[in-house]
Amino acid sequence: MAHIPEEPKRFVCENCQIIHAGTPVHASGGDHSFETPTTCGGCGESTFVEFTDWVHHHA
């Protein structure tokens, strides 16, 4: 069976709206999750909204 890569969670910087890929975190059993970035690479802010929630987000 072929491996199908999982798409990483994406996060939108609340300040400048740049999209960042979450940092993969590996857990036991081969599972993983994605952490929110600590700071935005564009503006340096640290407030993010998950990409799937962005359209419903009100700043």
Side-chain angles (χ1 to χ4, degrees):
M1 178 156 80
H3 174 72
I4 299 172
E6 182 180 353
E7 186 172 323
K9 282 189 180 176
R10 295 171 287 173
F11 299 91
V12 181
C13 174
E14 194 174 85
N15 183 55
C16 70
Q17 300 180 8
I18 290 177
I19 298 173
H20 296 270
T23 304
V25 177
H26 298 280
S28 63
D31 292 333
H32 65 276
S33 61
F34 296 94
E35 287 186 346
T36 307
T38 53
T39 58
C40 175
C43 69
E45 292 293 322
S46 60
T47 306
F48 295 89
V49 176
E50 194 168 326
F51 183 78
T52 56
D53 295 332
W54 180 250
V55 72
H56 305 290
H57 177 71
H58 301 286

